[in-house]
Amino acid sequence: METTRKIQFRETFQKYYPVLCQIARGYISDADDCEDVVQDLFVAVWNRGKDDLPEAELAAYLKTAVRNNCITLLRQRQRMETVSIADSPIALADSPADNEGETDYQAMLDSILAAMPPKCRDVFMMSKLQKMKYKEIAEALDISEKTVENHIGKAFKIIRMYAAEHPVLFLLFTLSHLLTASI
């Protein structure tokens, strides 16, 4: 006899599995990999007890998590496939601190982006990382330019909050990017 939680989880799985696979398909071309990402997500949801979240929060969580898991998978693959001179043992022996710092900066950036609501994060990434203009973002997402401005403002507010909580790390991160941008 199944418990109520198992029944509800099965219903949630059946409801969101196809939708989440479609979202994953937007990031990953291989259908099997998309299914693996979504199935792993549901295992994590079960193990962490996230399935007891209210419906709207669970839906938002699942969509954000599948997107983040796809990006993580793509980054892992990119690291495995990318071979550069920095991967050689000699280069690694010369600068082990650089590699550690790079990972820390990426983790910091990931945590800042994870703190943003999904739409806000998308707008911020389109603006700052893809260098799109507000008008282009508004057209791409079918929202007004004022909404784009509001999302950017919210993103910077989150960044400022993160900087206030981690001032030393954020200062190092900012200085590092300023110095590498000028080189």
Side-chain angles (χ1 to χ4, degrees):
M1 189 164 163
E2 286 189 301
T3 64
T4 306
R5 181 177 180 222
K6 287 182 182 178
I7 293 169
Q8 289 174 336
F9 185 79
R10 178 180 291 129
E11 290 171 358
T12 301
F13 179 85
Q14 290 170 343
K15 179 178 180 180
Y16 289 105
Y17 184 79
V19 174
L20 296 174
C21 284
Q22 278 301 108
I23 292 171
R25 190 77 172 161
Y27 294 92
I28 302 170
S29 58
D30 187 324
D32 290 334
D33 288 341
C34 293
E35 290 178 6
D36 288 345
V37 166
V38 174
Q39 289 169 6
D40 289 344
L41 172 61
F42 274 106
V43 169
V45 165
W46 176 265
N47 289 338
R48 295 180 185 141
K50 294 281 187 183
D51 54 312
D52 64 353
L53 289 172
E55 180 74 22
E57 288 180 36
L58 179 62
Y61 173 82
L62 289 171
K63 290 174 184 176
T64 301
V66 78
R67 174 191 167 278
N68 291 343
N69 291 352
C70 288
I71 292 170
T72 299
L73 177 69
L74 292 172
R75 283 183 182 153
Q76 289 170 345
R77 286 193 178 155
Q78 186 177 22
R79 284 186 199 123
M80 290 188 314
E81 292 173 3
T82 303
V83 177
S84 70
I85 194 160
D87 293 333
S88 71
I90 295 170
L92 290 176
D94 290 342
S95 61
D98 292 344
N99 294 338
E100 291 173 16
E102 191 174 304
T103 306
D104 292 341
Y105 296 139
Q106 185 61 48
M108 186 183 310
L109 180 60
D110 288 343
S111 66
I112 292 171
L113 291 174
M116 295 179 190
K119 194 74 150 191
C120 178
R121 177 179 42 246
D122 292 342
V123 169
F124 181 78
M125 290 176 66
M126 292 170 89
S127 173
K128 302 305 175 192
L129 301 179
Q130 297 175 8
K131 306 291 186 206
M132 292 175 70
K133 293 181 172 45
Y134 287 7
K135 184 176 183 177
E136 295 171 330
I137 298 168
E139 290 172 1
L141 298 177
D142 197 27
I143 56 177
S144 71
E145 285 185 60
K146 186 66 178 170
T147 303
V148 172
E149 290 175 21
N150 290 340
H151 281 303
I152 295 295
K154 184 183 281 188
F156 278 116
K157 183 178 179 182
I158 292 168
I159 292 169
R160 282 191 298 274
M161 287 173 37
Y162 187 89
E165 293 173 8
H166 307 89
V168 175
L169 290 175
F170 197 77
L171 178 64
L172 291 173
F173 175 74
T174 305
L175 288 174
S176 169
H177 280 282
L178 288 174
L179 291 174
T180 57
S182 65
I183 294 176

